Amino acid sequence: MASDRENPVPVPEHVPEPEHEPVLHEDRLNYTPVPGSVTLARHRAARLIAEWGHPELAWSVALVVSELGTNALKHGTVRGRLFQVRSVLRPSGLRVEVSDPRGERLPLARSAADDACFGRGLSIVTQVADRWGTEPRTVGKTVFAEFDVRRGVGTGSVNRGGGGAG
């Protein structure tokens, strides 16, 4: 049986949000920390991304919101405190953020053992998104994933840089 610590998934460095680009669309919603909220957040994110003209990203965004939302629910919530999902579309890409009140509990990317039931979420995010990382907040943290969108190609094609599912 392989250890959960073997073959760790690389933890990305901090990548600041590109503030020099205009925001084309933005959505932000707080959710109660219950399992049904992850489902609602996943469906909302997929629907919005398709409505914003990027239906090719809807499946990947839904998966990332599901994984990051589940992590927030399991590891980042505090009784009586909400978690937030934010999506921002800019000309060069889409950023999806999940924020929770537990800033001291940073995500640990790792490779799960073959027989493990949990521990694959950030590995999935690494494969589906172009980048991911964390940012501190005054209270809590934000975990984000970014998807590159090529300019001038149809409704926006994802540039995966030669790898990844999606």
Side-chain angles (χ1 to χ4, degrees):
M1 180 168 126
S3 166
D4 283 350
R5 302 287 180 206
E6 291 178 16
N7 303 318
V9 175
V11 176
E13 294 182 28
H14 172 73
V15 179
E17 190 172 357
E19 295 182 14
H20 62 278
E21 283 192 309
V23 172
L24 302 175
H25 296 281
E26 180 174 5
D27 180 69
R28 180 186 325 235
L29 191 62
N30 293 324
Y31 293 91
T32 56
V34 296
S37 293
V38 174
T39 301
L40 293 173
R42 179 180 69 236
H43 289 296
R44 180 183 177 88
R47 179 181 53 80
L48 287 172
I49 299 318
E51 288 175 4
W52 294 350
H54 294 282
E56 76 284 356
L57 289 176
W59 181 87
S60 297
V61 168
L63 182 58
V64 166
V65 167
S66 183
E67 295 299 335
L68 296 183
T70 299
N71 283 352
L73 188 66
K74 290 183 62 150
H75 308 292
T77 56
V78 175
R79 182 180 292 226
R81 299 296 302 269
L82 306 174
F83 71 95
Q84 181 181 89
V85 178
R86 176 178 177 243
S87 301
V88 180
L89 179 64
R90 297 179 186 271
S92 66
L94 172 71
R95 181 178 171 112
V96 177
E97 302 175 350
V98 176
S99 301
D100 65 57
R102 299 285 304 269
E104 76 280 6
R105 299 208 54 192
L106 295 176
L108 175 64
R110 59 189 167 106
S111 294
D114 290 342
D115 59 348
C117 295
F118 302 101
R120 293 178 179 80
L122 291 175
S123 295
I124 292 169
V125 171
T126 299
Q127 292 297 310
V128 174
D130 291 296
R131 283 168 303 287
W132 75 272
T134 62
E135 294 177 340
R137 294 172 55 126
T138 303
V139 175
K141 68 179 172 301
T142 296
V143 182
F144 66 87
E146 296 177 333
F147 299 85
D148 293 338
V149 177
R150 279 194 247 157
R151 298 173 199 221
V153 180
T155 60
S157 299
V158 178
N159 177 3
R160 296 263 174 243

